[in-house]
Amino acid sequence: MRICRVSVDGGLFFGLIEGLSEAGEIGEGTLVALLDGHPFGDLAPEGRILKASDVRFIAPVLPSKIIAVGRNYAAHAKEMGGEVPVSPMIFLKPSTSVIGPGEPVLLPWQSEQVEHEAELAVVIGRLCSDVPVDRVPDVVLGYTCANDVTARDLQKSDGQWGRAKGFDSFCPLGPWIVTDLETDAASISCHVNGEVRQRGSTGEMVFDVAELVSWISSVMTLLPGDVILTGTPAGVGPIRAGDEVSVTIEGVGTLTNPVVDRG
Ligand code: ZN
């Protein structure tokens, strides 16, 4: 099942996507069946079924918080000059950093080195805490693509990561949530202007999805819609005004955003 969030006639709706092309993209026959309310629990159809070309896709969820995991791929930890942590290393991104597919990543004047980080995002479906590893599937709604946009120069100079990771537009999410993804070996890649910059597999994670959700839920209560960014493979690099940056995850789809100066 693919759950999206769309803007229709000024209203915001969750919806179910039907009839993607063979390549898993929006095509002529793609439809969006609007839902009543939210997708956390029983799904209630609203009644309207619209052509995907007639709606605007927005971020598939608006989380109360985004928990991100640092250095969760050994090759990326190495390129950052750090060791693989012995337990998950987490930080928070503000909900106001979320943007949807097609919305611009805004380069802030405070940074001269903004970089892409392609990541698998886990969307929580139920209020939960202290979730055992084997119960994690019960609390996950699904998965989407994320870009953990980072002002690398500020990350290094500040020590704390709140500013470097927290600017408005620094958390593109989308294009939709896939509820039945196998996360043990999905390919993940990042392209800038069509050129491959990162290529890896979710199988390379130091801590897998179940371990991360369980560990994080032992620290803080997770709410429906909360998002966990699971770390990025090697190959992070700069994005500049005029670029187009894409994150692709096998079985999910592609999240594409233009990059512009914030001004
Ligand atoms: Zn990251």
Side-chain angles (χ1 to χ4, degrees):
M1 202 163 58
R2 283 160 195 268
I3 299 169
C4 62
R5 208 160 138 257
V6 295
S7 170
V8 180
D9 301 333
L12 304 181
F13 298 85
F14 285 97
L16 296 182
I17 301 179
E18 293 156 11
L20 287 178
S21 71
E22 260 178 52
E25 289 164 6
I26 290 172
E28 276 286 297
T30 308
L31 299 172
V32 175
L34 301 186
L35 294 174
D36 227 359
H38 59 69
F40 310 111
D42 294 333
L43 300 182
E46 188 253 13
R48 280 183 286 174
I49 299 176
L50 306 172
K51 287 176 79 170
S53 51
D54 291 341
V55 301
R56 186 166 67 84
F57 287 81
I58 59 176
V61 71
L62 197 57
S64 80
K65 58 184 172 294
I66 301 144
I67 307 101
V69 182
R71 296 182 198 156
N72 199 32
Y73 288 74
H76 172 64
K78 196 172 170 191
E79 77 179 347
M80 291 287 104
E83 298 292 315
V84 170
V86 291
S87 58
M89 190 175 75
I90 62 171
F91 56 95
L92 295 170
K93 287 170 84 84
S95 59
T96 42
S97 63
V98 171
I99 57 172
E103 289 189 77
V105 173
L106 306 174
L107 301 177
W109 59 265
Q110 294 95 330
S111 172
E112 292 183 349
Q113 189 188 2
V114 174
E115 298 195 346
H116 55 81
E117 293 190 1
E119 309 206 4
L120 173 72
V122 181
V123 181
I124 298 298
R126 292 171 52 178
L127 184 148
C128 60
S129 61
D130 295 317
V131 183
V133 168
D134 63 345
R135 298 295 302 277
V136 165
D138 298 345
V139 304
V140 171
L141 176 69
Y143 303 89
T144 191
C145 305
N147 193 341
D148 176 20
V149 179
T150 303
R152 196 70 68 200
D153 48 354
L154 304 184
Q155 184 185 25
K156 287 173 182 158
S157 63
D158 286 0
Q160 299 286 321
W161 298 3
R163 180 166 70 139
K165 300 273 193 177
F167 284 99
D168 287 358
S169 81
F170 270 27
C171 190
L173 293 176
W176 40 66
I177 298 164
V178 174
T179 57
D180 47 4
L181 185 74
E182 294 292 334
T183 60
D184 50 349
S187 71
I188 176 167
S189 62
C190 180
H191 290 75
V192 176
N193 304 327
E195 199 174 288
V196 67
R197 292 279 190 86
Q198 294 180 270
R199 194 186 290 283
S201 163
T202 58
E204 299 161 12
M205 285 185 199
V206 177
F207 302 100
D208 67 18
V209 167
E211 290 170 321
L212 290 176
V213 174
S214 175
W215 192 89
I216 293 167
S217 77
S218 74
V219 179
M220 60 188 84
T221 296
L222 297 171
L223 302 179
D226 280 354
V227 166
I228 295 173
L229 306 187
T230 56
T232 196
V236 298
I239 48 176
R240 300 187 174 88
D243 284 348
E244 187 179 76
V245 59
S246 296
V247 175
T248 301
I249 298 176
E250 180 185 10
V252 178
T254 298
L255 165 69
T256 300
N257 298 89
V259 182
V260 305
D261 279 321
R262 184 164 171 171

